[in-house]
Amino acid sequence: MPSLSDWVQIASAVGAVAAAVVGWRAAVAARASADAANKQLPELRRQVEASNIQASASQRQVELAQQAAQDASRAAREAVRARADERAPHVIVALSEPKWPPYVDPNRSMMPYANELRLLDKESIQRSTQGMSEFFMTKHANWFMWFMGTGRLINEGPTAARVRVSGEIVMDTSPSLTHAPERSFASTYPIRGAQRVGDRARDEYLVAPGTAIEFDWAIGAPVREWAEKSNAPDAAGGEISTAVWSYGDAGTFDNIRSEFRARPLRQDADNPNQWHLIEDTIGRIGVVTYPAKRTWLFENQSDDA
């Protein structure tokens, strides 16, 4: 008759067999599940690929809609710009070459500050020498050499312009309606006396359509600077800035930059301390006005006009 320990061993063996059977059945079930999943995987992949294609198509539709909205906004903005441009003044800034020879003032060494005597003041002109041709750096380096020329603002647009010229300038307020070719250069537009508009501090003037106004301008530097930059890539000189506003709510603002550069001196061949005023100004003096930079007042965007 089996002992208690034998019965225990028999029971353990039976339990082990039962566990093995359960494990075998689980393995078979897992293998069946794996086989089923493997059979479903291609279909799942096709579903995922179809979903990706649909998502890409939707994204493309969104991008096309955004692009269409941007195009419509751009077209509307351009239409408003075009209407503003049709009614905007078109001011041309024309600067003549300065008078020759330049002026030399021993009483100043730089462009005047706000509270100092202006270059184009009668006293400044009277105390300056015109015709000095020899300069020595030991004596004249800090003397001020300056140029004076004429500028003209021509409004070719259909409406009046409000303008402000920044720099050493004096507007011609004389009520002349002639072309005044002896004063500067020929023009097909009648020249009117500059008429101030607004408060005096803003220093703005009216240019009626189809007319022009004139002004004198002055730019200078110490003799030393003219000499040092006589052969430099960037010659000495200065700039004049012209601001132009139109009237109206959907108007325009133009900023026009003009530049004067010159190389009026040449160094003596034998004495490096001595400099001579050039005799031929061709290629040594340049005045240029750049295209206007336009801003449309109904938007915060600017572009070349």
Side-chain angles (χ1 to χ4, degrees):
M1 183 175 182
S3 62
L4 180 60
S5 60
D6 292 335
W7 285 112
V8 171
Q9 292 178 355
I10 291 171
S12 299
V14 171
V17 171
V21 171
V22 171
W24 174 77
R25 287 179 176 175
V28 171
R31 178 61 181 274
S33 297
D35 291 341
N38 191 46
K39 292 179 180 179
Q40 294 175 355
L41 186 59
E43 181 61 26
L44 291 175
R45 287 176 176 172
R46 284 193 293 270
Q47 292 177 1
V48 170
E49 291 175 355
S51 298
N52 289 338
I53 293 173
Q54 185 176 3
S56 298
S58 298
Q59 178 65 27
R60 179 58 178 165
Q61 290 177 351
V62 170
E63 293 174 353
L64 291 175
Q66 291 176 340
Q67 184 63 46
Q70 292 175 358
D71 292 342
S73 177
R74 187 180 300 109
R77 186 173 68 250
E78 291 299 328
V80 177
R81 283 185 174 186
R83 288 194 296 270
D85 290 343
E86 287 178 357
R87 299 297 301 164
H90 182 200
V91 173
I92 296 174
V93 180
L95 300 184
S96 67
E97 284 196 359
K99 297 178 181 179
W100 187 264
Y103 294 85
V104 178
D105 186 350
N107 299 294
R108 70 166 86 232
S109 60
M110 63 182 64
M111 293 287 286
Y113 289 114
N115 60 343
E116 294 181 340
L117 183 69
R118 312 320 305 172
L119 276 178
L120 293 172
D121 189 277
K122 290 183 178 180
E123 180 182 344
S124 173
I125 296 174
Q126 290 173 356
R127 77 184 192 186
S128 299
T129 300
Q130 191 180 23
M132 190 172 176
S133 60
E134 302 293 330
F135 301 89
F136 295 88
M137 291 301 107
T138 53
K139 180 180 180 180
H140 306 118
N142 292 323
W143 288 23
F144 194 76
M145 178 186 292
W146 60 282
F147 296 82
M148 178 170 60
T150 299
R152 182 172 293 174
L153 303 178
I154 305 169
N155 185 4
E156 293 186 333
T159 58
R162 194 172 86 249
V163 302
R164 182 171 67 234
V165 183
S166 300
E168 287 295 304
I169 65 103
V170 172
M171 285 291 179
D172 182 3
T173 58
S174 60
S176 171
L177 296 179
T178 66
H179 299 312
E182 71 283 352
R183 188 176 184 277
S184 55
F185 37 83
S187 172
T188 58
Y189 295 90
I191 300 170
R192 299 183 183 272
Q195 177 183 350
R196 191 187 302 272
V197 293
D199 59 279
R200 187 176 182 86
R202 294 180 63 86
D203 201 27
E204 296 173 359
Y205 295 84
L206 178 72
V207 186
T211 66
I213 62 175
E214 287 193 325
F215 61 92
D216 291 328
W217 59 268
I219 291 176
V223 171
R224 179 188 63 258
E225 184 174 342
W226 295 113
E228 290 175 348
K229 294 186 177 182
S230 62
N231 293 314
D234 295 325
E239 296 183 359
I240 295 173
S241 178
T242 304
V244 181
W245 291 269
S246 64
Y247 290 93
D249 295 334
T252 59
F253 167 74
D254 293 340
N255 184 52
I256 308 171
R257 185 169 66 92
S258 302
E259 189 174 77
F260 165 71
R261 301 290 171 183
R263 294 182 172 87
L265 299 178
R266 61 175 179 83
Q267 193 171 29
D268 187 87
D270 301 320
N271 184 1
N273 181 56
Q274 184 178 8
W275 292 76
H276 306 274
L277 193 68
I278 60 173
E279 298 176 356
D280 186 359
T281 62
I282 296 178
R284 305 281 290 187
I285 292 180
V287 180
V288 60
T289 296
Y290 297 96
K293 191 76 172 179
R294 170 158 291 181
T295 299
W296 289 265
L297 300 181
F298 66 90
E299 62 183 38
N300 292 322
Q301 182 178 357
S302 63
D303 198 359
D304 291 334

